[in-house]
């Protein structure tokens, strides 16, 4: 697949109709892709939701992440299938357009915008909250705004520069995680576990016998920790060595995140002095459960180290998300589904799209930072957009390989039908389990997208009639 818009062997184009000002520069390697994916996910993502998942799963929190990793593997596999045949910056927008048609492609991109534009706002807010806790004299919205400005400047500098800085931040997060793991193992070896050694996989027994339904209900929350690994696919036009490298990075990133999530939740569950039943009865303790367990077993020094790591890591998770959002807006602008100015590049960097994404994210993050309930409002709306886009991704695999026979060969029924159908069933199930607020906001956003799509169709039809 060439970068100059020539048609590849699968009949797709990397940048259809793109001129010199709509070209992205190929500078990223495999490590850079993994860095972006892990930055967006955050290696210690379970810290904030550990207490909620422990209560919901009756103590089987490590099992929850094990199941969630397998569940998200279906989505990662579908991404890997489509990025090989449609290696474009628009990710799910480009895949759904190829497999299901232009209309479905627009809706997939439109719904993904909720994820890519607002998840960075959530991450920036996490950073602002953490910094306010460390320096309470400065309001959280000021810290939030500073984080947006710093990471936006890095993204405008170029994807390669941002990846290098991001690698350093990711290395710091990994070091902190390693310190936690080693310290936890030492404490467990010296003092023993607060719970049974198998309880993180089988439940702590304080809410009755093991319940599969409780684990499944917790999985619907845990899969949200993985949102962001898919951002790797948005850099398909900026990677050296072909789209197969993107597919490998997607699968590797998910597998590595799964190992990190299972390991840290298993250890902290053994250190947790509070039972899952107590956490379920006192939900106000769930948000700080991870930190409380570390405080009780190790000390405040590790608590503070994890908090600082989370503050910096959250800002750079937002950096990766903002970069992915910019590529999505760039691709939709290039296809004239959004204003064409978004598709302009400067030295291979989609600076217009990045600035638009930054402005939207800044507005959402600062607004939420100035409200006591701002975080709840943001979190409730981002998930449905991503999960709807994932569902259309799975449908695009079936549409491209089974219906349109775009693969050019025999249909492989397991990877082209069974896997995407199961993946779609999982994402739909998670949407059903989402909060009522998230479902309503998602439905409204979808309705607006359908209205925009209808207006575009009418405009093109009128233009064709006028020209005819």
């Amino acid at each position: 697949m060439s970068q100059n818009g020539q048609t590849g062997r699968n009949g797709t184009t990397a940048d259809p109709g793109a001129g010199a000002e709509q070209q992205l520069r190929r500078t990223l390697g495999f490590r850079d892709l993994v860095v972006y994916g892990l930055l967006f996910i955050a290696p210690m993502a379970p810290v904030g939701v550990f207490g909620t998942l422990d209560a919901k799963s009756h103590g089987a929190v490590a099992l929850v992440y094990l199941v969630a990793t397998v569940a998200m593997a279906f989505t990662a596999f579908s991404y890997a299938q489509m990025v090989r045949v449609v290696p474009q910056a628009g990710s799910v927008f480009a895949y759904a357009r190829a497999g299901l048609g232009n209309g479905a492609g627009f809706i997939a991109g439109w719904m993904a915008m909720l994820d890519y534009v607002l998840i960075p706002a959530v991450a920036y807010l996490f950073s602002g909250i953490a910094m306010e806790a460390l320096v309470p004299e400065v309001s959280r919205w000021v810290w939030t705004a500073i984080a947006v400005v710093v990471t936006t400047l890095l993204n405008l500098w170029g994807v390669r520069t941002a990846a290098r800085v991001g690698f350093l931040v990711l290395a710091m997060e990994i070091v902190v995680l390693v310190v936690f793991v080693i310290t936890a193992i030492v404490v467990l070896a010296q003092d023993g576990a607060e719970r049974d050694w198998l309880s993180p996989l089988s439940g702590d027994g304080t809410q009755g016998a093991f319940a599969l339904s409780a684990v499944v209900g917790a999985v619907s929350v845990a899969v949200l920790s993985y949102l962001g690994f898919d951002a790797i696919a948005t850099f398909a036009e900026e990677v050296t060595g072909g789209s197969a490298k993107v597919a490998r990075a997607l699968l590797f990133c998910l597998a590595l995140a799964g190992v990190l999530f299972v390991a840290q939740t298993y250890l902290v569950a053994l250190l947790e002095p509070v039972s899952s039943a107590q956490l379920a009865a006192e939900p106000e303790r769930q948000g700080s459960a991870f930190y409380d367990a570390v405080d009780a077993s190790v000390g405040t020094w590790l608590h503070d180290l994890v908090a600082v790591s989370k503050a910096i890591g959250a800002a750079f998770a937002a950096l990766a998300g903002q970069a992915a959002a910019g590529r999505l807006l760039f691709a939709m602008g290039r296809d004239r589904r959004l204003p064409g100015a978004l598709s302009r590049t400067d030295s291979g960097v989609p600076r217009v799209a990045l600035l638009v994404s930054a402005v939207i994210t800044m507005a959402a993050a600062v607004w939420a930072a100035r409200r006591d309930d701002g975080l709840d409002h943001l979190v409730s709306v981002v998930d449905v957009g991503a999960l709807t886009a994932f569902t259309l991704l799975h449908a695009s695999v079936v549409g491209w390989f089974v219906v349109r026979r775009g693969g050019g060969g025999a249909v492989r029924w397991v990877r082209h039908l069974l896997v995407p159908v199961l993946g779609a069933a999982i994402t739909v199930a998670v949407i059903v389990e989402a909060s009522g607020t998230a479902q309503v906001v998602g439905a409204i956003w979808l309705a607006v997208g359908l209205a925009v799509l209808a207006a575009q169709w009418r405009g093109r039809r009128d233009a064709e009639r006028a020209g005819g």
Side-chain angles (χ1 to χ4, degrees):
M1 185 67 63
S2 67
Q3 193 181 2
N4 61 8
Q6 293 178 349
T7 303
R9 62 183 177 85
N10 293 308
T12 60
T13 56
D15 49 356
E21 294 183 342
Q22 296 175 308
Q23 298 278 342
L24 298 175
R25 188 167 52 189
R26 293 186 182 273
T27 58
L28 297 179
F30 178 83
R31 189 194 74 173
D32 300 318
L33 295 174
V34 173
V35 166
Y36 269 109
L38 285 181
L39 271 178
F40 203 163
I41 293 175
M44 297 190 75
V47 168
V49 295
F50 167 77
T52 300
L53 296 178
D54 194 49
K56 278 181 170 290
S57 66
H58 300 181
V61 64
L63 178 62
V64 167
Y65 271 107
L66 186 62
V67 174
T69 302
V70 174
M72 291 307 297
F74 289 94
T75 296
F77 192 78
S78 286
Y79 265 108
Q81 294 298 303
M82 293 305 295
V83 75
R84 288 187 171 95
V85 296
V86 191
Q88 296 181 19
S91 184
V92 69
F93 161 68
Y95 308 154
R97 184 181 59 180
L100 304 173
N102 289 331
F106 172 80
I107 294 300
W110 181 264
M111 297 305 295
M113 284 170 59
L114 273 181
D115 174 22
Y116 286 162
V117 174
L118 292 184
I119 274 190
V122 174
Y124 284 129
L125 182 54
F126 275 132
S127 183
I129 292 171
M131 288 303 299
E132 184 185 42
L134 295 171
V135 188
E137 295 81 9
V138 180
S139 176
R140 72 177 63 173
W141 76 264
V142 176
W143 288 118
T144 299
I146 291 173
V148 175
V149 171
V150 171
T151 54
T152 299
L153 289 174
L154 283 171
N155 271 325
L156 292 175
W157 198 344
V159 67
R160 182 64 176 167
T161 301
R164 287 171 177 167
V165 178
F167 176 76
L168 297 177
V169 173
L170 181 62
M172 175 208 68
E173 293 186 85
I174 295 295
V175 168
V176 173
L177 179 56
V178 170
V179 170
F180 163 74
V181 169
I182 293 175
T183 305
I185 291 174
V186 170
V187 170
L188 289 169
Q190 292 178 343
D191 303 329
E194 293 287 343
R195 298 182 182 179
D196 183 80
W197 289 92
L198 291 179
S199 64
L201 297 172
S202 60
D204 63 359
T206 60
Q207 298 186 65
F210 174 81
L212 181 60
S213 59
V215 172
V216 172
V219 166
S220 68
V221 176
V223 296
L224 305 180
S225 298
Y226 297 83
L227 294 185
F229 81 94
D230 54 295
I232 292 173
T234 65
F235 300 100
E237 292 181 38
E238 295 164 272
V239 65
T240 59
S243 57
K245 187 178 292 185
V246 180
R248 290 198 303 273
L250 275 162
L251 296 170
F252 177 81
C253 187
L254 178 65
L256 180 57
V259 170
L260 296 177
F261 291 174
V262 171
Q264 66 190 274
T265 53
Y266 177 84
L267 291 172
V268 78
L270 294 179
L271 297 173
E272 175 61 83
V274 179
S275 70
S276 67
Q278 288 176 281
L279 288 174
E282 303 174 50
E284 67 276 6
R285 303 179 65 173
Q286 294 175 10
S288 62
F290 192 107
Y291 295 111
D292 293 342
V294 170
D295 273 348
S297 59
V298 180
T300 57
W301 69 268
L302 185 56
H303 176 167
D304 293 342
L305 183 63
V306 172
V308 171
S309 174
K310 286 291 290 180
I312 299 174
F316 280 83
L319 176 143
Q322 184 192 87
R327 271 68 186 176
L328 176 61
L329 295 177
F330 162 83
M332 295 183 74
R334 187 173 62 187
D335 196 50
R336 297 298 187 269
R337 293 295 179 175
L338 290 177
L342 293 171
S343 65
R344 295 184 64 85
T345 61
D346 180 13
S347 299
V349 180
R351 290 196 170 97
V352 175
L354 284 170
L355 284 171
V356 170
S357 172
V359 169
I360 297 172
T361 300
M362 171 79 88
V366 171
W367 170 84
R370 295 174 67 90
R371 294 174 57 98
D372 292 335
D373 59 353
L375 181 60
D376 290 338
H377 281 294
L378 275 183
V379 171
S380 68
V381 301
V382 299
D383 305 329
V384 169
L387 294 166
T388 303
F390 288 169
T391 303
L392 290 172
L393 161 73
H394 292 300
S396 70
V397 175
V398 178
W400 176 261
F401 289 101
V402 178
V403 178
R404 298 191 172 190
R405 298 298 177 99
V411 175
R412 299 183 179 181
W413 295 104
V414 173
R415 65 173 56 186
H416 297 156
L417 185 62
L418 180 60
V419 169
V421 167
L422 290 175
I426 291 170
T427 54
V428 169
V430 177
I431 292 173
V432 171
E433 291 290 331
S435 69
T437 300
Q439 292 172 343
V440 170
V441 172
I444 292 173
W445 184 250
L446 175 60
V448 173
L450 291 172
V452 172
L453 181 62
Q456 291 178 350
W457 275 342
R458 284 196 300 270
R460 293 186 180 186
R461 183 189 59 190
D462 292 344
E464 290 174 357
R465 288 178 176 176

